[in-house]
Amino acid sequence: MGTAVGGERAVPRYVQIADEIVQQIRAGVLKPGDMVPSESELVDRYGVSGGTIRKAMAEVRASGLVETRHGKGSIVKDRPPVRHRSSDRFRRSHRRGGKAAYLAESAQSGATAKVSVLFIGPMEAPEDAARRLGVDVGAQVLARRRLYFRNGTPVETATSYLPWDVVKEIPELFAENPGGGGIYARLEDHGHEFAEFVETLQARPASKAEASELALSPGSAVVHLVREARTTEGRVVEVCDTLMAADQFVFEYRIPAAD
């Protein structure tokens, strides 16, 4: 506990140390890609216990400025978060320009993006996806699972579920690369014109498996986002189940002040 000075509680030593490390990062003393000094180095530098340093590093990680990799230590992040803008991320102009939403957003943030396809093929619809698609649980759907990278680091996984009667006549949707503009462009090419995209978000700690897949520290925050792509006919033709490293994305929504 801090010592009362002049009627105020002193700032704990671990908070002071964390603030100093954060300021070094923001001032560029510790640059993107640099390793934060090890626990033993910080113990020697500040003359405190290992427990104090571990509490300080927990505060530094909470700032979102570093990432911890198992067996390597803490590394200063080298990229700003991708900004999700609800008002324009699914514009047809992006698709017509040959860019899917993630690639367009990453380009706007100045990041290098990569998408790795993990699985494409038929599977039985999970309960939540089936309900949203309006099909029976266990009905055959097309699943497309991807892992997204920014500057070489995994930041997002996503699995799209599409009704079989829709996709069976669109061979491009079974290809690893469905072509410019992604799967939404191919769906619209075949007459499925989109009216809206509805997203539901929930923030929570990552499971052990999720943290491993996204190279996160155990217990790091993730955002679970589920999107429904609805056509002008009122049908949901895709459900996208996405898990995102919370510190790598900023969500921006425009909400009309309607009567």
Side-chain angles (χ1 to χ4, degrees), residues 84 89-90 101-102 115 126 128-130 132-133 142-148 156-163 183-184 187 194 197-201 223-230 236-244:
H84 278 249
R89 66 187 307 254
F90 293 117
Y102 177 78
V115 182
D128 184 65
R132 294 172 183 271
L133 290 171
L142 175 65
R144 295 180 57 93
R145 179 166 174 76
R146 293 91 67 199
L147 179 61
Y148 294 84
E156 174 183 343
T157 63
T159 303
S160 291
Y161 302 98
L162 301 101
I183 64 174
Y184 290 162
L187 286 163
F194 291 110
F197 300 88
V198 179
E199 296 183 336
T200 303
L201 295 84
V223 173
H224 183 201
L225 183 151
V226 180
R227 180 172 61 253
E228 299 177 8
R230 296 179 179 174
V236 176
V237 294
E238 185 232 19
V239 170
C240 188
D241 192 312
T242 304
L243 196 74
M244 314 165 83

Side-chain angles (χ1 to χ4, degrees), residues 135-157:
V135 302
D136 293 334
V137 175
Q140 181 170 275
V141 295
L142 175 65
R144 295 180 57 93
R145 179 166 174 76
R146 293 91 67 199
L147 179 61
Y148 294 84
F149 295 81
R150 280 210 306 102
N151 296 341
T153 299
V155 295
E156 174 183 343
T157 63

Side-chain angles (χ1 to χ4, degrees), residues 11 28 33 43 46 50 66 82 108 111 151 159 182 190 196 204 223 232 247-248 252:
V11 176
V43 165
Y46 292 104
V66 304
V82 166
Q108 289 170 359
N151 296 341
T159 303
H190 287 78
E196 63 178 357
R204 59 171 175 78
V223 173
T232 53
D247 64 336
Q248 293 304 309
E252 180 179 307

Side-chain angles (χ1 to χ4, degrees), residues 5-83:
V5 178
E8 297 182 359
R9 188 176 298 276
V11 176
R13 184 63 176 136
Y14 75 88
V15 174
Q16 295 175 344
I17 294 170
D19 286 346
E20 184 171 323
I21 294 171
V22 166
Q23 288 307 314
Q24 289 176 356
I25 294 171
R26 289 176 173 161
V29 177
L30 287 172
K31 298 178 174 58
D34 284 352
M35 298 293 300
V36 176
S38 67
E39 180 179 317
S40 61
E41 290 173 319
L42 293 173
V43 165
D44 291 341
R45 177 182 299 179
Y46 292 104
V48 296
S49 69
T52 297
I53 293 301
R54 286 190 288 275
K55 291 171 71 175
M57 286 307 301
E59 294 289 320
V60 175
R61 287 192 293 273
S63 72
L65 296 173
V66 304
E67 57 187 356
T68 301
R69 299 179 183 175
H70 182 67
K72 293 185 178 181
S74 296
I75 303 171
V76 179
K77 291 180 179 177
D78 62 354
R79 60 210 181 276
V82 166
R83 184 172 295 273

